[in-house]
Amino acid sequence: MTEFAFSKEKRNQEIEDLGQRELNLDRLFVLLLGPSATGKSTIIRHLIERVSNPAFEYVKPMMTRPNRPKETDKLSISKTEFEVMKRQRQFVTTNDLYGVRYGTPLQGILGPLGQGRVPILDYPLATVGALRRPEYDLLNFYIYPESTRSWTNRVIECGRNAGGRLESGTEELGSLATAGFVHPDIDVHMVNHNGKSAQTAKEILEIVQAVT
């Protein structure tokens, strides 16, 4: 079992490094990276619901299947509409999964920026490079569980092991630990303690405020 914890010194160094990038709030696009079931969606919900400066807005992916009951974090469009948007280069990235097409709309990022809000999205670490664009600046938070044991139990309890998520997440967490928790696409490493997603959201907001 691996337990995850990061020192105050590491956090201060990460904030110092971000300060040297001179990030502009008007161009900031926040990503939450990490394996499934680490609480990224809950953290995003807390950030969106929080009355804060800056305010956050979730970037809703588009997809070619109907929305499931109570599913509000994605937008369903027809395959024809999807193809038209792709030809017009309205997507930042697209991918196919189990016969369904998914796309991250560029306007879903630029729209909030134009209204003074910070777009935010949960995204896989393996393909985060595909989101780099000249229109905005990425700020990437990697969300860790308290430990590999607690995370494994949560994945199983939530029934999220479909598609090898447990295996891929275990491999990713192990690779980061082996690398000394250094990765070119991760700006800030954060542990989301069980039941503490609101506190994690507060820390993310404070970091955004500190570096912009």
Side-chain angles (χ1 to χ4, degrees), residues 15-29:
I15 292 175
E16 182 179 335
D17 292 342
L18 287 169
Q20 294 176 359
R21 285 172 51 184
E22 298 182 352
L23 294 168
N24 187 334
L25 187 61
D26 295 334
R27 292 175 46 86
L28 198 66
F29 179 18

Side-chain angles (χ1 to χ4, degrees), residues 123-142:
Y123 205 79
L125 174 63
T127 56
V128 68
L131 284 181
R132 294 196 189 95
R133 295 273 298 222
E135 294 95 336
Y136 50 75
D137 300 322
L138 291 177
L139 175 53
N140 303 334
F141 294 84
Y142 193 94

Side-chain angles (χ1 to χ4, degrees), residues 93-130:
T93 61
T94 61
N95 68 293
D96 298 344
L97 185 63
Y98 305 123
V100 179
R101 309 212 69 186
Y102 295 88
T104 303
L106 178 60
Q107 189 55 36
I109 302 167
L110 300 184
L113 288 176
Q115 297 175 3
R117 295 192 292 273
V118 176
I120 188 169
L121 178 66
D122 53 308
Y123 205 79
L125 174 63
T127 56
V128 68

Side-chain angles (χ1 to χ4, degrees), residues 21-189:
R21 285 172 51 184
E22 298 182 352
L23 294 168
N24 187 334
L25 187 61
D26 295 334
R27 292 175 46 86
L28 198 66
F29 179 18
V30 171
L31 297 181
L32 299 193
L33 313 173
S36 179
T38 57
K40 298 186 297 296
S41 296
T42 304
I43 294 168
I44 289 174
R45 177 171 56 80
H46 283 299
L47 284 167
I48 292 173
E49 293 176 352
R50 184 184 293 270
V51 178
S52 63
N53 184 21
F56 291 80
E57 182 173 326
Y58 183 66
V59 179
K60 293 185 178 182
M62 293 184 173
M63 61 182 179
T64 58
R65 65 163 173 78
N67 287 88
R68 301 186 181 105
K70 298 183 179 180
E71 183 179 41
T72 60
D73 62 340
K74 298 181 181 66
L75 298 173
S76 176
I77 61 175
S78 70
K79 292 182 178 179
T80 300
E81 290 174 306
F82 191 97
E83 288 302 321
V84 169
M85 291 183 66
K86 184 177 181 181
R87 286 197 301 270
Q88 294 176 345
R89 298 183 178 181
Q90 295 185 44
F91 291 121
V92 179
T93 61
T94 61
N95 68 293
D96 298 344
L97 185 63
Y98 305 123
V100 179
R101 309 212 69 186
Y102 295 88
T104 303
L106 178 60
Q107 189 55 36
I109 302 167
L110 300 184
L113 288 176
Q115 297 175 3
R117 295 192 292 273
V118 176
I120 188 169
L121 178 66
D122 53 308
Y123 205 79
L125 174 63
T127 56
V128 68
L131 284 181
R132 294 196 189 95
R133 295 273 298 222
E135 294 95 336
Y136 50 75
D137 300 322
L138 291 177
L139 175 53
N140 303 334
F141 294 84
Y142 193 94
I143 309 301
Y144 293 83
E146 289 184 352
S147 68
T148 51
R149 177 179 295 174
S150 65
W151 174 73
T152 298
N153 291 339
R154 179 169 176 76
V155 171
I156 294 172
E157 289 170 1
C158 296
R160 294 194 184 183
N161 194 29
R165 290 177 179 173
L166 183 58
E167 292 78 8
S168 62
T170 299
E171 181 180 356
E172 183 171 286
L173 291 169
S175 297
L176 289 169
T178 300
F181 302 104
V182 175
H183 191 284
D185 290 319
I186 299 176
D187 297 311
V188 181
H189 299 72

